[in-house]
Amino acid sequence: MDRQGAKPLLVRDYEDLARARLPADVWDFISGGSGTESTLTANRAALERIRLRPRVLTDVTACDPGTELLGARIAAPIGIAPMAYHRLACPEGETATARAAGLAGVPLIVSMFASRTLAEIAAAGSGPLWLQLYWLRQRELLTGLVRRAEEAGFGALVLTVDAPRVGRRLRDVRNGFVLPPGVHAANVAPEAMAASHRAAPDASAIERHAREQFDSSITWKDLAQLRALTTLPLVLKGILTAEDARLALDHGVDAVIVSNHGGRQLDGAVASAQALPEIAAAVGGRCRVIVDGGIRHGTDVLKVLALGADAALVGRPVLWGLAQGGAQGVSDVLGLLRDELEEAMALSGRPRIADVDRSAVVL
Amino acid sequence: MDRQGAKPLLVRDYEDLARARLPADVWDFISGGSGTESTLTANRAALERIRLRPRVLTDVTACDPGTELLGARIAAPIGIAPMAYHRLACPEGETATARAAGLAGVPLIVSMFASRTLAEIAAAGSGPLWLQLYWLRQRELLTGLVRRAEEAGFGALVLTVDAPRVGRRLRDVRNGFVLPPGVHAANVAPEAMAASHRAAPDASAIERHAREQFDSSITWKDLAQLRALTTLPLVLKGILTAEDARLALDHGVDAVIVSNHGGRQLDGAVASAQALPEIAAAVGGRCRVIVDGGIRHGTDVLKVLALGADAALVGRPVLWGLAQGGAQGVSDVLGLLRDELEEAMALSGRPRIADVDRSAVVL
Amino acid sequence: MDRQGAKPLLVRDYEDLARARLPADVWDFISGGSGTESTLTANRAALERIRLRPRVLTDVTACDPGTELLGARIAAPIGIAPMAYHRLACPEGETATARAAGLAGVPLIVSMFASRTLAEIAAAGSGPLWLQLYWLRQRELLTGLVRRAEEAGFGALVLTVDAPRVGRRLRDVRNGFVLPPGVHAANVAPEAMAASHRAAPDASAIERHAREQFDSSITWKDLAQLRALTTLPLVLKGILTAEDARLALDHGVDAVIVSNHGGRQLDGAVASAQALPEIAAAVGGRCRVIVDGGIRHGTDVLKVLALGADAALVGRPVLWGLAQGGAQGVSDVLGLLRDELEEAMALSGRPRIADVDRSAVVL
Amino acid sequence: MDRQGAKPLLVRDYEDLARARLPADVWDFISGGSGTESTLTANRAALERIRLRPRVLTDVTACDPGTELLGARIAAPIGIAPMAYHRLACPEGETATARAAGLAGVPLIVSMFASRTLAEIAAAGSGPLWLQLYWLRQRELLTGLVRRAEEAGFGALVLTVDAPRVGRRLRDVRNGFVLPPGVHAANVAPEAMAASHRAAPDASAIERHAREQFDSSITWKDLAQLRALTTLPLVLKGILTAEDARLALDHGVDAVIVSNHGGRQLDGAVASAQALPEIAAAVGGRCRVIVDGGIRHGTDVLKVLALGADAALVGRPVLWGLAQGGAQGVSDVLGLLRDELEEAMALSGRPRIADVDRSAVVL
Ligand SMILES: Cc1cc2nc3c(=O)[nH]c(=O)nc-3n(C[C@H](O)[C@H](O)[C@H](O)COP(=O)(O)O)c2cc1C
Ligand SMILES: Cc1cc2nc3c(=O)[nH]c(=O)nc-3n(C[C@H](O)[C@H](O)[C@H](O)COP(=O)(O)O)c2cc1C
Ligand SMILES: Cc1cc2nc3c(=O)[nH]c(=O)nc-3n(C[C@H](O)[C@H](O)[C@H](O)COP(=O)(O)O)c2cc1C
Ligand SMILES: Cc1cc2nc3c(=O)[nH]c(=O)nc-3n(C[C@H](O)[C@H](O)[C@H](O)COP(=O)(O)O)c2cc1C
């Protein structure tokens, strides 16, 4: 609990607390979207429009948001979206997040640009860990990383496909954002990360780095190479159309994450909650469907489950919690979301996740 | 009339008057909704969107909002929604409300957590009284209550089914809301109410009490038990789907109340006026349909009647009236709504309640 | 032109000018609507939503908004809605309005409660004059009035059917509005008008008067009586449904005015521009369709013509003009609307009124 | 880059920079729309509503916004809308704009009322130049102009058909706008331009000039005469309906520009992005479809391409750039739009313009 102010009771309360604690440019890096930030806004608006249809006189004494995802039992259909450099939010970084995720029993998707090593993170966390990858030009870097993830017991690989380059985030450009001293990608060869540490006025080091290192030529065919590297389940993050969801199925992925990268990539992209129904319909249960973008309340989770998602990821709120109170802050945020979801299940008469179907919402 | 300010001319004028008179935490308890209060907002927005289609050249010299509801003639298709602890709003509490309801000729649904005894209320009121129940873990408490309601001449039982627990109302949590001294549930054994009187920081005593005492395991099957207790008409409060309306019919209820508990239970739930049409269609006249949530003007009553309701209940406005001027304040609020409805009937060319059909509105 | 400020270039500029010149209670009487004023707002919003579809490469050198209405050639499909007591806005009252209407070549509908005699008005005006009537309990008053209208050369009778009583306009109630000294209905027996001159706190004299004098029992059958009185064309004002438009046709009316009385009668009533299409469809050209409510620009006139109206009436803007500059102010307002319409015809490639069809708008 | 403030990162940043540099009446002339400016607003709102559907795992290493338009290769499907008197924005005027357009490789449509001669502009610019014409009463003026355009190597003629007269722009009327000394139409006989230089209070000289000089009688039949004058491709600017698009095809035009003249002509006209789909459908690829109005970001270009346009024109932003930094400012604005479009192509998985089809957006 923040001593100065009131106890945060909603996820969005953590936003204010975090803003007050973080340097302005770090705050901007975390909060901002690309371009005019129209997709950032659209994500919330789309969720807000969806309304819940509660059922009554169901036994809800024991509501259990627990479910199964890619082979792991999880305490709630909630996960932590991959986000680079948790040390931006608190000195401890990803090990704090992992500890909190483990306690909460929900998966943490570790960003390729985590600021703690996979081994450190794995040691700290007791829950499912997945590794998120961007496809770098130096493919051997990927191979090494996948190997270390397997050794550290990671449970899935998440290839982010909405970022052949990094979207132009104007706050970062304006701030000339560069990683602060002491924060670096702990799992990628320093040479491949140098650009992220080179400041330049009116330019984002993060964006420049991606331009230099990301392989923007990869296509569906290249997936086979990743598949060949490992037997871990493979997840594609950044699907927003039924067409791509069908292609993902054709290429044997285990899950798709319906995401516009929290409004940080293609400005103007459709809200993820708006894209979800067509994707859920196209997938028809043949792989898992996960969604992220603007999830700020347990009822948002219930809404996307009703529209066909198997789980929802939370991004920024986790960094807010981290900024506000380290592992404890993350635990609080995750606990809040889980409790809100559990309450929403009780009050909508759907005691198990399997009870949440399309009839739970009206558009 | 308030001496300080202007005479209230709209129900919402009473809101300001009441806010000025009540302690802040009591005001918050009355006004607030659960979670982000999105359902609270949605209730009003849904009613505002509906537009009336007036007919002309009808004889409207004698417009009569009078109707029949569950066996009683009432002066208008308006009732007072069950609300706990009227003494929060004025020292006299429910007997004042009952007196006003009686004079107005409209039903008062007495909350299980009324702050005056059923006998006192019955003595004060000359109109229909119904008793609202939450299903407590100690079923014998229900039995006793139903018995006393029958003895006091109550005309119907209303089982609230949208509250297997009490929704998380953040204002109350923040205020550490607890019942003030002198206000207690007059019809429930004190032992079963103790939690409502135990203050704790950052927690609502009301919420804690419900967690402890409410039976969240009841299902449709349990209704039979309630039915067996009494021959009074049985009403289910908190129905928001056609599915549940059909189940209610199957279980022989006499009326359903389309309600999201004034936005105090499931945050994100559909507005009651949005849910109403599918429920009216499912019911097809086989039981009464009552609606509440955001009714603030006589034209709101006309709108929901057109969408298939037989009557509308008012919640908070009654407490505003009570806070502002005791029984007289409640009379004023009820009179205003009735007069506005009567005027709307005249100006829409529908002199009798039976004349109000679906053609009276456009969505 | 107002010397103090900028020349008014839009009809709404006159609103500010008039507000500055009129006593507050008179301003409120003119501007206000009934109840929550939701219909007042809806009228504008409905017009704003409609968009124009301009055609190009049409010869528009000579655009002529002239048309024919109920047997008279008029300079534009615009008329002045009947409004009581023009002397409230300027000392001269209706004769000033009539002069301006005559110069503009558009019809003036004289209210039954005009503050100048029919003879005076007829002497001042050179254009079509119609007489608006409310049906009073003393039917002989109507007979006399119709007789005098015929003698004064009025061209049509308009029976207002949306006012079996006067809607509750809260501004007037709050102001205890009463007609100021020197303003009275010049064409109705003083005995029948007395209530309009009796002040009472927290009550509108206008509303009280209507309660006392208006016959709220008249129905379609009574129209025959009015028909029998005169051979003048008969118009019904206040039709908002296809059902009533069909009944109007069945009863042989010459025109219907689609109107919600400028949001002054049934609060919550559908916007007139929203009701217009269903009425135009029901009428199918068998009688004239006129519309009023929120017309503030020449393009609004074009929009309603496209939706099936034969003409549009303007209410409040005429009183704004009158308040700002007497007959000249009204001329300015009418001239502005006419010029805006003429420009809109030119820029939408529809040089004659007959060219304006449904294809001119998109909803 | 503006030295005083932050580097502009979005097109709209240039708006503020330009406002600070220009005289108020010039600013108003550039920014304003006609009437209530409702179409000005609608243009942006319509674009904002459209959402993008990005595809993933496409090789986007080499995204090329290059395309072909009316026989010329252009670097991006972007052009500069014809705007009168660029010298209003910077002393150099159109030659600066032409230099920037040439460097950017995009077409510049030179207004008939350019403030530099066609020869000067042609000498300055290395890219495609088209000449925009209004049809003046003195047809011989047109003939001369077309001749000089051909001699100067212009590549197309654009006849603006939404301006049989100039729309009433109230800011200009209020400002008594007149061309400032030193700014005049360099390609039209001075006699025919005199009215544009005659100030009068409460009147726009621009509007008066058009009334005097524009031929508002021309129709589809007259197009033959223009066709006969030249072999240059012919473009019609100001088409907003499928009906007129079909007529344009029938009359053998090479392209239509879907435009409401940036909200400066018919107030209330449909937003160009709203009109686009019906026009694209009617045209069915038989001529080019270009659109303008409210294009402020590269994603706006992508959106209109997806709805069937072959290119988008930018108006005001070019003058903002010109005001802020002359040719460099225009280069910056064009470069920004091009880069934003290129990024949007990359992030939506559409590396070539041909890849952008209807599936790229959801309405
Ligand atoms: C600061 C920050 C860093 C991020 N880093 C990554 C990343 O490294 N890889 C990735 O796939 N997505 C990244 N994302 C996107 C998130 O995984 C996720 O899609 C998004 O944040 C979800 O939206 P939300 O923040 O509104 O919950 C990042 C997002 C933020 C806010
Ligand atoms: C202060 C307060 C106490 C309430 N107590 C009860 C209650 O004891 N039982 C119940 O079924 N509903 C209760 N409700 C819900 C009301 O019956 C009703 O559904 C709701 O207030 C209607 O919405 P409105 O307040 O917008 O008119 C309560 C509502 C309020 C505001
Ligand atoms: C001050 C005022 C007085 C009015 N008096 C009458 C009246 O006497 N008879 C009538 O039929 N309508 C009356 N109306 C309604 C108008 O005829 C018309 O329906 C309405 O004003 C149109 O809307 P607008 O004011 O938005 O243009 C009155 C309206 C106003 C504003
Ligand atoms: C200052 C200004 C002058 C213009 N002059 C002309 C013109 O001479 N001929 C023409 O066809 N359109 C003219 N236009 C309209 C533009 O060609 C174009 O349709 C419009 O500006 C596009 O909208 P946008 O400004 O929102 O991008 C002018 C627009 C502006 C803002």
Side-chain angles (χ1 to χ4, degrees), chain B residues 283-348:
Chain B
V283 162
R286 284 172 290 164
C287 76
R288 294 312 101 220
V289 175
I290 304 170
V291 69
D292 74 17
I295 301 289
R296 299 292 178 266
H297 196 272
T299 54
D300 294 329
V301 180
L302 195 68
K303 288 172 179 178
V304 296
L305 294 184
L307 292 176
D310 296 290
L313 306 181
V314 220
R316 296 174 181 90
V318 167
L319 297 184
W320 302 338
L322 206 54
Q324 186 264 333
Q328 184 59 50
V330 176
S331 283
D332 289 348
V333 165
L334 293 174
L336 193 51
L337 286 166
R338 188 225 160 269
D339 290 352
E340 288 166 345
L341 171 60
E342 190 270 351
E343 175 181 294
M345 293 170 72
L347 296 183
S348 67

Side-chain angles (χ1 to χ4, degrees), chain A residues 53-270:
Chain A
R53 297 177 76 249
R55 302 295 305 273
V56 300
L57 291 174
T58 313
D59 179 348
V60 292
T61 356
C63 285
D64 180 8
T67 186
E68 189 272 338
L69 195 62
L70 297 189
R73 278 295 324 155
I74 56 178
I78 295 176
I80 299 180
M83 289 178 294
Y85 310 112
H86 288 200
R87 273 184 158 166
L88 286 172
C90 101
E92 200 193 330
E94 285 79 2
T95 50
T97 319
R99 220 160 48 241
L103 286 171
V106 301
L108 163 63
I109 311 185
V110 176
S111 165
M112 175 177 220
F113 300 127
S115 47
R116 301 297 301 263
T117 64
L118 300 190
E120 285 167 340
I121 297 167
S126 55
L129 295 173
W130 303 355
L131 177 64
Q132 176 268 333
L133 300 170
Y134 290 108
W135 200 300
L136 302 189
R137 294 189 210 265
Q138 297 168 263
R139 300 210 174 181
E140 59 282 12
L141 288 176
L142 281 194
T143 323
L145 208 48
V146 170
R147 219 38 85 228
R148 271 173 288 142
E150 284 177 330
E151 278 159 26
F154 277 60
L157 289 185
V158 176
L159 182 68
T160 299
V161 291
D162 60 9
R165 64 174 85 161
V166 155
R168 206 165 154 77
R169 300 166 196 162
L170 304 184
R171 303 195 202 189
D172 296 347
V173 174
R174 205 157 323 264
N175 295 332
F177 186 67
V178 67
L179 289 178
V183 177
H184 68 279
N187 302 290
V188 182
E191 312 81 65
M193 297 307 303
S196 299
H197 298 274
R198 264 197 310 269
D202 290 320
S204 157
I206 298 289
E207 187 187 334
R208 220 159 349 98
H209 169 259
R211 285 277 195 159
E212 218 179 64
Q213 301 292 333
F214 287 18
D215 186 347
S216 61
S217 76
I218 53 157
T219 66
W220 292 99
K221 287 200 305 287
D222 299 286
L223 284 185
Q225 200 177 327
L226 197 61
R227 261 278 173 251
L229 270 187
T230 177
T231 56
L232 288 177
L234 185 59
V235 181
L236 291 190
K237 175 168 181 282
I239 301 294
L240 285 171
T241 61
E243 299 91 303
D244 280 339
R246 274 187 291 262
L247 282 169
L249 280 176
D250 293 346
H251 289 81
V253 310
D254 299 282
V256 293
I257 303 179
V258 180
S259 172
N260 51 37
H261 215 109
R264 295 163 79 86
Q265 288 295 109
L266 178 65
D267 186 33
V270 63

Side-chain angles (χ1 to χ4, degrees), chain D residues 224-312:
Chain D
Q225 201 177 325
L226 197 61
R227 260 277 172 252
L229 271 188
T230 178
T231 58
L232 288 176
L234 186 60
V235 182
L236 291 190
K237 175 167 182 280
I239 300 295
L240 285 171
T241 61
E243 298 92 303
D244 280 338
R246 274 188 291 263
L247 282 169
L249 280 176
D250 293 347
H251 289 81
V253 309
D254 299 282
V256 292
I257 303 179
V258 181
S259 172
N260 50 38
H261 215 110
R264 294 163 81 84
Q265 287 296 108
L266 178 63
D267 186 35
V270 63
S272 47
Q274 189 183 347
L276 177 55
E278 73 174 57
I279 293 169
V283 163
R286 285 171 291 165
C287 78
R288 294 310 101 223
V289 175
I290 304 171
V291 69
D292 75 16
I295 301 289
R296 300 291 178 266
H297 195 273
T299 52
D300 293 330
V301 180
L302 195 68
K303 287 172 181 180
V304 296
L305 295 183
L307 291 177
D310 295 290

Side-chain angles (χ1 to χ4, degrees), chain B residues 65-144:
Chain B
T67 187
E68 190 272 338
L69 195 62
L70 298 190
R73 279 290 330 152
I74 55 179
I78 295 175
I80 300 180
M83 290 178 293
Y85 310 112
H86 289 200
R87 273 185 157 165
L88 286 172
C90 102
E92 201 194 330
E94 285 79 3
T95 51
T97 319
R99 222 158 49 239
L103 287 171
V106 301
L108 163 63
I109 311 185
V110 176
S111 166
M112 176 178 219
F113 301 126
S115 47
R116 301 297 300 263
T117 63
L118 301 189
E120 286 166 340
I121 298 169
S126 54
L129 296 173
W130 303 355
L131 176 66
Q132 176 269 333
L133 301 170
Y134 290 109
W135 200 298
L136 302 189
R137 295 191 209 264
Q138 297 167 264
R139 302 209 173 182
E140 60 283 11
L141 288 176
L142 281 194
T143 323

